[in-house]
Amino acid sequence: MEKNIVISLGGSLVSTDSLNIKYIQQFSSVLSKSPQQMKFGIVVGGGMLARTYIRALRDAGVNDNILDEIGINATRMNALALSSFLEDSNSKIPTTVNDAAELSRIYRFTVMGGTEPGHTTDTVAMLLAERIGARVLINATSVDGVYTSDPRKDRSARKLETLDYDSAIKIAISESVGAGPNVFMDLTALNIAKRSGIKVHVVDGRDTELISEIIRGSGKGGSVIS
Ligand code: UTP
């Protein structure tokens, strides 16, 4: 079993039409029941909260750097919401990976959102994993794995149970052309995973049972990139 695990928690799980308290409770309960000796970094995305603000401000002509700052603030609101359901977690959301790494020495659960413009919380999560020496990152997202091609457009698309970093990077590049919100993981994050050999589980975040199994080292489901 791993000692440290980082989870990139897709914002769309936490922030839907409103704040999804039921999901937050379910997810925190899985973490709270994990083996006591384990520590977690959890990086929460912006979800609908970020998207609503970004869309409105983009339509009003606001520049991308400020839109990213808005998105970052949304991720931090979601992070704070989650941390309030976790015992032994930080109640002040760190703004850098450096500060999060310091907090992870104190708390069993270190919760954060984004850091600076130009990337997503997947990248922040991967940087945190690299920094604290976590060998495993769970990407709890809105898709249930990595497919050979987009299953919404291609009926012959197959889910890959395992794949190597270069194959994942190749698929992420082809998916990111004209991408919607359903790319399985941000390209920068995948490159960091590759350079440090961090194993990535891509799972449907709604399946908290599967997340619980992966934490215990036994989960089968989703896709594993290594
Ligand atoms: P994410 O795109 O990471 O959140 O951050 P998400 O909701 O999980 O994304 P989906 O559901 O996978 O699409 C929301 C926005 O916040 C900004 C970006 O604009 C991003 O789109 N952001 C986030 C940053 O600029 N820097 C960060 O470090 C994190």
Side-chain angles (χ1 to χ4, degrees), residues 144-146 159-162 201-204 210 220-224:
D144 70 346
V146 185
K159 187 161 98 178
L160 299 164
E161 274 176 34
T162 57
H201 289 262
V202 179
V203 299
D204 180 345
L210 176 59
K220 279 241 172 298
S223 298
V224 180

Side-chain angles (χ1 to χ4, degrees), residues 52 149 186 223:
T52 313
S149 54
D186 168 307
S223 298

Side-chain angles (χ1 to χ4, degrees), residues 9-12 45-47 50-51 54 67-69 71-72 75 114-122 124 141 181:
L9 185 62
S12 59
R51 235 165 279 153
I54 288 174
L67 297 183
D68 276 354
E69 289 290 355
I72 291 167
T75 65
T115 53
E116 64 270 316
H119 54 224
T120 72
T121 45
D122 284 347
V124 176
T141 181

Side-chain angles (χ1 to χ4, degrees), residues 8-25:
S8 179
L9 185 62
S12 59
L13 297 158
V14 170
S15 163
T16 45
D17 291 340
S18 167
L19 187 61
N20 192 343
I21 295 291
K22 204 167 148 220
Y23 181 79
I24 294 176
Q25 284 172 326

